[in-house]
Amino acid sequence: ANNAEKTQKKPNTAFNQKTGAAYVIKEAGKVSYYYNGKVYSYIDDNIATTACYKVYVFIGQYGTYSKFVGNLSLRSLTFVKNKVEKWRNVPNRYAAGSTIKIDMGNGKIYYNDGNANQELVTGSEFFNIPPGISEIDIIPSTWHSGELSPEITWKERYL
């Protein structure tokens, strides 16, 4: 893929092809957002019980700035409702052949080599596998009807 940022004198670190990303999370009255490598949060008790049902995206020129940016794109937008009793008709979020790497020691999750710490389910914790025999249960969603055949690899560490 061509990265137009390479030719710029001041590449935009917040929204570029390789590292650009942003998100907004609303949990009760707390709003957190990630922009340009930093997480920002604020609390507004007035929105604690307000439900989110729309996302507006504006791509355009700000104010009276005379040099309109000609290369604008929105490659993906995900809207997720968290902390619900159950989801219905949810497509498989992981394509066949995809890889998920969980680095328990550093508390990191990677999906196809990209940062995916948002995949950690609320209330879950990273854990160490103790020496000896351990059992790990992998349980598919109740709607899963096919064969479940995950492949698990790990690296042993000696202290």
Side-chain angles (χ1 to χ4, degrees):
N2 182 19
N3 187 350
E5 300 283 336
K6 289 179 184 178
T7 60
Q8 296 180 357
K9 291 179 182 176
K10 295 181 181 179
N12 186 337
T13 57
F15 294 105
N16 66 51
Q17 195 169 23
K18 291 185 178 182
T19 61
Y23 68 72
V24 177
I25 298 174
K26 178 194 172 292
E27 295 177 299
K30 180 181 179 183
V31 176
S32 302
Y33 61 96
Y34 175 86
Y35 173 73
N36 203 10
K38 295 180 184 176
V39 177
Y40 302 89
S41 297
Y42 67 90
I43 295 177
D44 182 352
D45 292 330
N46 295 322
I47 64 168
T49 59
T50 303
C52 293
Y53 64 96
K54 288 185 182 178
V55 175
Y56 293 94
V57 176
F58 171 77
I59 299 177
Q61 184 171 326
Y62 178 75
T64 58
Y65 185 69
S66 63
K67 296 180 181 179
F68 185 74
V69 179
N71 184 5
L72 301 172
S73 65
L74 176 64
R75 290 194 176 92
S76 68
L77 177 65
T78 304
F79 189 87
V80 178
K81 184 174 182 180
N82 293 325
K83 298 182 182 177
V84 293
E85 228 176 275
K86 59 185 172 180
W87 290 357
R88 295 180 189 198
N89 298 325
V90 177
N92 188 357
R93 64 189 298 145
Y94 303 111
S98 59
T99 60
I100 298 174
K101 177 182 173 186
I102 303 172
D103 184 337
M104 295 292 196
N106 292 313
K108 300 281 185 182
I109 300 173
Y110 302 94
Y111 173 57
N112 291 338
D113 296 323
N115 185 347
N117 268 28
Q118 73 275 8
E119 297 296 320
L120 183 67
V121 175
T122 303
S124 297
E125 297 178 5
F126 293 98
F127 61 92
N128 292 322
I129 299 173
I133 297 174
S134 296
E135 181 178 312
I136 298 175
D137 294 326
I138 299 175
I139 303 167
S141 299
T142 55
W143 51 262
H144 180 75
S145 60
E147 180 181 326
L148 184 65
S149 56
E151 180 180 317
I152 299 173
T153 59
W154 68 92
K155 293 181 182 180
E156 293 184 16
R157 304 284 191 223
Y158 298 97
L159 301 176

